[in-house]
Amino acid sequence: MIEFKDVCMRFDDKEALKHISLTIQDGETLAVIGGSGSGKSTFLRLLIGLIKPTSGQILIDGQNIVPMSEAELNKVRLKMGMVFQHFNLFPHLTILDTITLAPRLVRKTPRAEAERKARELLERVGLPDKAGAYPQQLSGGQKQRVAIVRSLAMEPKVMLFDEPTSALDPEMVGEVLDVMKDLAKRGMTMV
């Protein structure tokens, strides 16, 4: 599914990643652990094609994404969902509208189908009653679960998480980790 071949990343005189080679199989969960500034976010940004490596190859389903144009990358990105440490929910949209926006605009999913899928996903993460709520009415853990659902609504093959619990109060961390554990049990490839 995912392969890094001798990937290096430099920012001016700082080498963020040095000769990284790894393979992530379908259904595998990979945890990247390291201190602040060790290259964890850089690794994820490279994987989703937000930045290009200084050298090396990054293969997604056998395709090297490094030389791809933005249009080609966008097709590959449809296979990936990204959840950041900050929720980035639209404050003026309900939770249901936030979740269904990308499927309707990008995948051209009919509204009724997108809403049905969103409600199923909200049920799965324990938030079936929050479809009509706005982000400011939710706790941090609820917002992060909505951010996960928003990514899942696009039906990705891979989920990328960039410190998804770091902005949460300690008592909220468990609810987000429970959702991630459920995804792992269901065979979602996760980094």
Side-chain angles (χ1 to χ4, degrees), residues 100-180:
T100 60
L101 185 65
R104 290 186 298 111
L105 294 178
V106 177
R107 293 207 181 266
K108 307 297 183 212
T109 305
R111 179 181 289 276
E113 184 181 334
E115 288 183 359
R116 180 193 55 74
K117 176 76 172 177
R119 289 180 191 282
E120 282 177 15
L121 290 168
L122 285 169
E123 177 77 36
R124 196 163 119 192
V125 301
L127 298 173
D129 58 332
K130 300 300 182 188
Y134 288 87
Q136 62 269 24
Q137 298 171 304
L138 304 180
S139 70
Q142 290 171 329
K143 289 177 187 176
Q144 194 62 297
R145 285 185 281 161
V146 168
I148 293 170
V149 165
R150 178 182 54 196
S151 288
L152 291 173
M154 291 294 287
E155 300 178 352
K157 292 175 68 177
V158 178
M159 286 290 289
L160 308 177
F161 295 92
D162 191 2
E163 300 190 38
T165 61
S166 66
L168 300 177
D169 293 330
E171 61 272 6
M172 308 280 181
V173 170
E175 38 188 74
V176 174
L177 291 179
D178 287 343
V179 172
M180 294 172 71

Side-chain angles (χ1 to χ4, degrees), residues 15 20 37 43 51 56 64-65 68 89 103 107-108 172-173 183 185 188:
E15 195 167 33
I20 303 296
F43 174 78
I51 56 176
N64 184 3
I65 66 168
M68 287 184 174
L89 302 179
R107 293 207 181 266
K108 307 297 183 212
M172 308 280 181
V173 170
L183 289 174
K185 284 180 194 167
M188 175 65 73

Side-chain angles (χ1 to χ4, degrees), residues 68-103:
M68 287 184 174
S69 68
E70 194 65 22
E72 292 170 315
L73 265 174
N74 283 337
K75 290 177 185 171
V76 174
R77 286 181 185 131
L78 286 174
K79 299 175 185 177
M80 294 187 248
M82 180 90 177
V83 178
F84 299 92
Q85 58 182 291
H86 299 290
F87 326 114
N88 301 317
L89 302 179
F90 297 115
H92 63 291
L93 295 179
T94 66
I95 298 311
L96 187 64
D97 289 337
T98 295
I99 295 167
T100 60
L101 185 65

